[in-house]
Amino acid sequence: MTVISLVDAMREQVAPMRHDRDEWTRRMMRWHFSDETGSPFWLRRKTELPFDPIRDVTEYAALELFGYFDKTALRAARARDLLPKGFAGRPFRVVETGGTTGAPCRVVDVTRGPYDVAMYRVMLRARGLEGGDMLAMTPSGPHAYGHFVARLADSWAGAVHFIDFDPRWVKKSLLATGNAHDYVAHLIDQTTVLLAAEQPDLLFTTSRLLLELAAELPKPLAHYGVRAVCTGGTSCSPEEVRYLREEHLDGVAWIDTYGNTLMGHALQADSAESTGGTHTYHLPPPLAFIEVVDPAAPERRVAHGERGRVLVNTLLEDLFIPNLLERDSVLRVGPHEWFPWDGVAEVRPYVDDEAEATEGVY
């Protein structure tokens, strides 16, 4: 698949990708703030705004009128109040964030999940990795990662083997005792059994757990039939990346993504061969946009090659979140030949004078 056809294939599968960001912004203002289609959550907040989103937010840049989003209101909201009236009668799922920076947020998924699957399938197809059975060493229950893997397997009638994984228990153990060795061992034990018994084509997990798993397996992943490992969530240092590739992933493709429940999947560009192990991540517009801002002055976007804090604008039909400052530090990078829009690289937790987030395994 050529570079041009990869992007075109995504746009063919995901209709919103055919719109430019200003047009899509206007569409989402009409969708989320019209009495006929908006959610109770945003229709209530509309009455408190000093401007009219439909009249005044006519381009992407005007989203700054909303100011910085406070997740406190989202944490307190009922999931059904986040469901747009325009989706009445449509099936939907409720998913929860990992709760890294506080109480988890519950949001709804109507069209976002199918969009994510369609884009990810195109990316796998371009690498010759589409299809097969999966093992999901991922957060389960209400977490979006597990739902995504299940939908992806369903899209080609593949089997998906889940382990039982509650990431909040890991964080609770870390906060209480400073380690979560026993729980991680429980996850590794489940995964080792399934790898040997089922010989899955694709392994989905987090980078931290991949490191733990690799250290415990008696043989490299390729021995278990794994063609590719697909990671998301936590980050790896350059040294850890080199260790995994050289010691444990010979003959196995490694596809990483950056993102979370509220922003979606920023897709990996750059192969390790061409970049020495450094990947860039690109969030497909116009469903969401990553801005890299000066932590001391978030109104200023940093230049390419400069490190800053992540600010996200989510413009999904399921979910609108303007100007959310994430607890991630990244380098801003320019467009890539695979993805003709800005991206980020060298992701790591953002640390300020407030209480640190507990990254754990997710």
Side-chain angles (χ1 to χ4, degrees):
M1 182 178 290
T2 66
V3 172
I4 294 176
S5 64
L6 183 147
V7 175
D8 286 345
M10 287 187 180
R11 288 173 176 156
E12 182 180 341
Q13 296 293 320
V14 181
M17 288 186 66
R18 304 168 203 162
H19 301 278
D20 69 46
R21 69 179 188 174
D22 290 338
E23 178 193 3
W24 186 250
T25 297
R26 292 190 292 272
R27 282 174 174 259
M28 290 301 95
M29 293 304 99
R30 292 193 297 270
W31 174 260
H32 286 287
F33 292 99
S34 293
D35 291 338
E36 296 77 19
T37 57
S39 67
F41 177 85
W42 278 112
L43 291 178
R44 281 198 299 268
R45 292 174 72 87
K46 178 182 176 180
T47 63
E48 303 167 359
L49 296 173
F51 61 94
D52 183 338
I54 297 175
R55 182 193 66 214
D56 299 328
V57 182
T58 58
E59 60 181 355
Y60 174 80
L63 290 173
E64 66 181 13
L65 292 172
F66 286 95
Y68 300 115
F69 187 79
D70 183 352
K71 282 198 287 190
T72 302
L74 192 60
R75 290 184 174 113
R78 293 179 65 244
R80 188 166 284 278
D81 284 345
L82 293 165
L83 182 68
K85 294 180 182 179
F87 282 146
R90 293 274 297 272
F92 66 97
R93 298 186 184 188
V94 178
V95 294
E96 295 188 9
T97 62
T100 300
T101 59
C105 302
R106 290 173 295 277
V107 297
V108 297
D109 176 354
V110 183
T111 59
R112 187 251 192 85
Y115 290 162
D116 285 344
V117 166
M119 289 184 285
Y120 206 90
R121 277 195 66 165
V122 169
M123 186 181 66
L124 289 175
R125 190 181 314 139
R127 291 168 167 83
L129 296 169
E130 185 180 30
D133 294 340
M134 308 177 190
L135 195 162
M137 189 186 188
T138 66
S140 52
H143 301 286
Y145 200 172
H147 286 275
F148 164 73
V149 177
R151 277 177 155 154
L152 183 63
D154 288 347
S155 74
W156 60 58
V160 55
H161 304 278
F162 284 102
I163 69 166
D164 196 7
F165 178 1
D166 178 2
R168 293 176 195 158
W169 191 257
V170 179
K171 290 170 185 165
K172 186 174 182 179
S173 297
L174 286 169
L175 290 170
T177 67
N179 73 76
H181 299 319
D182 289 345
Y183 193 82
V184 170
H186 169 61
L187 302 180
I188 299 296
D189 288 345
Q190 295 178 68
T191 302
T192 302
V193 169
L194 287 171
L195 278 173
E198 299 296 341
Q199 299 278 302
D201 296 276
L202 304 176
L203 169 64
F204 283 81
T205 189
T206 72
S207 298
R208 304 313 307 170
L209 281 178
L210 179 59
L211 282 163
E212 298 283 350
L213 176 65
E216 295 297 326
L217 288 177
K219 297 180 180 179
L221 274 171
H223 172 80
Y224 301 92
V226 175
R227 294 187 294 128
V229 59
C230 306
T231 54
T234 50
S235 56
C236 268
S237 70
E239 293 76 17
E240 290 168 334
V241 169
R242 283 192 292 272
Y243 161 73
L244 285 169
R245 288 196 179 281
E246 293 172 4
E247 301 294 331
H248 299 283
L249 298 181
D250 185 37
V252 176
W254 183 4
I255 301 173
D256 192 36
T257 57
Y258 163 62
N260 59 41
T261 305
L262 302 183
M263 83 166 71
H265 300 265
L267 303 174
Q268 174 190 303
D270 294 333
S271 65
E273 291 76 16
S274 64
T275 64
T278 298
H279 295 131
T280 62
Y281 304 94
H282 302 260
L283 191 61
L287 301 175
F289 296 88
I290 295 175
E291 307 283 357
V292 187
V293 302
D294 182 344
E299 68 279 2
R300 184 183 79 83
R301 273 48 173 176
V302 305
H304 290 143
E306 189 176 346
R307 179 167 289 278
R309 185 175 181 179
V310 169
L311 180 145
V312 176
N313 282 299
T314 300
L315 290 163
L316 292 160
E317 295 150 297
D318 315 81
L319 181 67
F320 169 58
I321 300 181
N323 306 310
L324 176 62
L325 283 165
E326 292 283 3
R327 295 188 68 86
D328 294 317
S329 170
V330 299
L331 289 180
R332 181 187 173 193
V333 299
H336 186 272
E337 61 176 352
W338 295 353
F339 302 112
W341 49 80
D342 270 6
V344 299
E346 298 186 21
V347 180
R348 63 192 188 209
Y350 170 74
V351 179
D352 59 13
D353 294 333
E354 300 174 4
E356 288 190 34
T358 304
E359 188 179 33
V361 296
Y362 185 38

